[in-house]
């Protein structure tokens, strides 16, 4: 079976090894004549990025790049990106990279047409309707990791550099017009990033699956996403050149992001403040806090997790699933505690205040109170 396909759910997805070669065609098809490729500093000099610029240039689209993007992209990165977009007279964005490049690229395309500050478009109520929708530039997304799923999402996470809080900025037009999922782009990912991003995909599926909201479509996608991670993440981690494993992890990542329209939960509520304050890797942070959150949620999710365990071929119901998570973590070299990521106990109160107002907290199956958040942080650190 060849793992190459064109999907139109939730957007046009061009899936398969080598399909980055179609980049210029897809840019042109959505009306770009002078795209700006947005990625992070680390990726900018790498061969996969230079190759993408070569493809754009060979088609007469230029080779403009903006790469002043931090691992947790912030409003200053965004402002600089929008300036580069406007100064360069660009008409579209190639959002290229892991979560940072994708999220910032999407936000640049969005903000290029806005006059209000970005925080006016936080994912609250119908705030997105404040946007000038016609001014939003088209986006072609090219993920180079398999975790965030931002390539199929309608939001970006931007850190407020003054308050050190992560804000979700939402608009339906954040959804890229075309996404190219080329697993060959993920082959060079260091093992630690394969592990961290893969665990982010798993956390998306797990939290969406456990969220109490009614969304049976997402529920099904989340379950199969977890199965793909179980089968293919250890393989991709052991052998980064295993294209079948890389491809299936790319699917799992996209599925996780589609599924979490149903909601996320306390794994992300705890992880966001940690990332905003300590600049830790998002997926790795999720992986560390996952077992304590599972224990905390157990009363509400026991039956549901037992059903997932059965589907995933695990014996022992909730306990079997829990043991599997511990085993997966150790197989992938995930540390047991947040202290190993440089997180101290001195800011637990502050992080707990942030966690309970995080937009993901409302999707947790057990109410995340301030006391509970403090207790969970103490356990995790
Ligand atoms: Fe995430």
């Amino acid at each position: 079976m060849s793992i190459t396909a064109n999907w139109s759910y939730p957007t046009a997805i061009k899936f398969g090894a080598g399909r980055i070669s179609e980049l210029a065609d897809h840019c042109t098809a959505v009306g770009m004549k002078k795209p700006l490729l947005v990625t992070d500093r680390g990726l900018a000099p790498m061969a996969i990025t230079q190759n993408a610029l070569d493809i754009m240039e060979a088609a007469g689209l230029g080779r403009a790049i903006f790469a002043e993007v931090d691992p947790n992209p912030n409003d200053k990165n965004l402002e600089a990106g929008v300036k580069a977009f406007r100064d360069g007279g660009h008409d579209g964005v190639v959002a290229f990279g892991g979560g940072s490049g994708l999220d910032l690229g999407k936000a640049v395309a969005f903000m290029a047409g806005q006059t209000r500050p970005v925080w006016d478009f936080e994912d609250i109520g119908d705030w997105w309707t404040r946007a000038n929708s016609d001014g939003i530039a088209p986006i072609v997304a090219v993920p180079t990791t398999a975790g965030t799923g931002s390539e199929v999402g309608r939001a970006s996470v931007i850190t407020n550099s003054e308050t050190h809080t992560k804000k979700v900025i939402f608009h339906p037009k954040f959804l890229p017009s075309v996404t190219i999922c080329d697993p060959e782009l993920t082959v060079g990912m260091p093992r630690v990033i394969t592990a961290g991003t893969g665990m982010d995909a798993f956390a998306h599926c797990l939290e969406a699956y456990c969220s109490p909201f009614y969304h049976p479509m997402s529920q099904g996608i989340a379950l199969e996403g977890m199965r793909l991670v179980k089968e293919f993440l250890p393989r991709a981690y052991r052998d980064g050149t295993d294209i079948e494993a890389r491809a299936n992890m790319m699917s799992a990542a996209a599925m996780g992001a589609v599924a979490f329209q149903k909601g996320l939960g306390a794994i992300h509520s705890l992880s966001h403040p940690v990332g905003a304050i300590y600049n830790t890797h998002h997926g790795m942070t999720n992986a560390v806090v996952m077992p304590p959150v599972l224990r905390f949620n157990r009363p509400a999710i026991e039956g549901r997790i037992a059903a997932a365990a059965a589907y995933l071929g695990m014996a022992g119901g909730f306990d079997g699933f829990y043991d599997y998570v511990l085993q997966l973590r150790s197989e992938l070299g995930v540390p047991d505690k947040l202290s190993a990521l440089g997180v101290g106990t001195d800011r637990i109160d502050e992080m707990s205040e942030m966690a309970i107002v995080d937009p993901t907290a409302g999707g947790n199956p057990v109410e995340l109170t301030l006391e509970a958040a403090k207790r969970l942080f103490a356990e995790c650190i």
Side-chain angles (χ1 to χ4, degrees), residues 145-362:
T145 66
T148 164
S150 178
E151 66 274 13
V152 294
R154 301 176 300 164
S156 286
V157 179
I158 304 291
T159 300
N160 185 319
S161 55
E162 276 171 29
T163 60
H164 293 283
T165 50
K166 288 193 167 193
K167 299 287 184 193
V168 179
I169 311 300
F170 170 86
H171 191 282
K173 280 194 168 180
F174 268 63
L175 186 67
S177 302
V178 179
T179 286
I180 300 174
C181 285
D182 182 344
E184 287 181 355
L185 302 182
T186 67
V187 160
M189 248 197 297
R191 290 178 97 194
V192 64
I193 304 294
T194 299
T197 50
M199 288 304 285
D200 190 27
F202 188 73
H204 294 159
C205 293
L206 173 61
E207 294 212 285
Y209 180 79
C210 293
S211 115
F213 304 121
Y214 180 73
H215 200 320
M217 281 187 275
S218 288
Q219 195 73 350
I221 292 170
L223 193 54
E224 177 64 3
M226 285 193 275
R227 191 190 69 76
L228 289 178
V229 172
K230 179 172 179 276
E231 185 168 350
F232 293 105
L233 179 54
R235 266 176 62 177
Y237 180 76
R238 279 196 301 272
D239 176 8
T241 66
D242 182 338
I243 288 291
E244 188 192 1
R246 291 294 198 185
N248 279 293
M249 279 309 299
M250 226 163 194
S251 289
M255 291 163 75
V258 170
F260 74 57
Q261 290 191 24
K262 179 170 179 271
L264 288 170
I267 293 173
H268 277 78
S269 323
L270 299 184
S271 174
H272 284 158
V274 171
I277 292 176
Y278 295 94
N279 240 351
T280 55
H281 186 273
H282 170 69
M284 198 53 92
T285 314
N286 289 343
V288 176
V289 305
M290 194 175 284
V293 171
L294 277 172
R295 287 199 302 271
F296 173 68
N297 287 339
R298 181 172 187 154
I301 61 172
E302 186 152 7
R304 192 175 288 204
I305 288 290
Y311 178 72
L312 297 169
M314 299 164 189
F318 181 94
D319 290 321
F321 185 91
Y322 182 82
D323 290 344
Y324 161 75
V325 168
L326 293 183
Q327 175 227 313
L328 177 65
R329 285 199 332 169
S330 72
E331 201 174 336
L332 301 176
V334 174
D336 193 35
K337 298 286 178 203
L338 286 177
S339 49
L341 303 180
V343 179
T345 52
D346 50 321
R347 295 180 80 169
I348 284 182
D349 288 353
E350 182 188 357
M351 291 195 294
S352 301
E353 299 275 3
M354 290 160 79
I356 59 168
V357 297
D358 191 90
T360 60

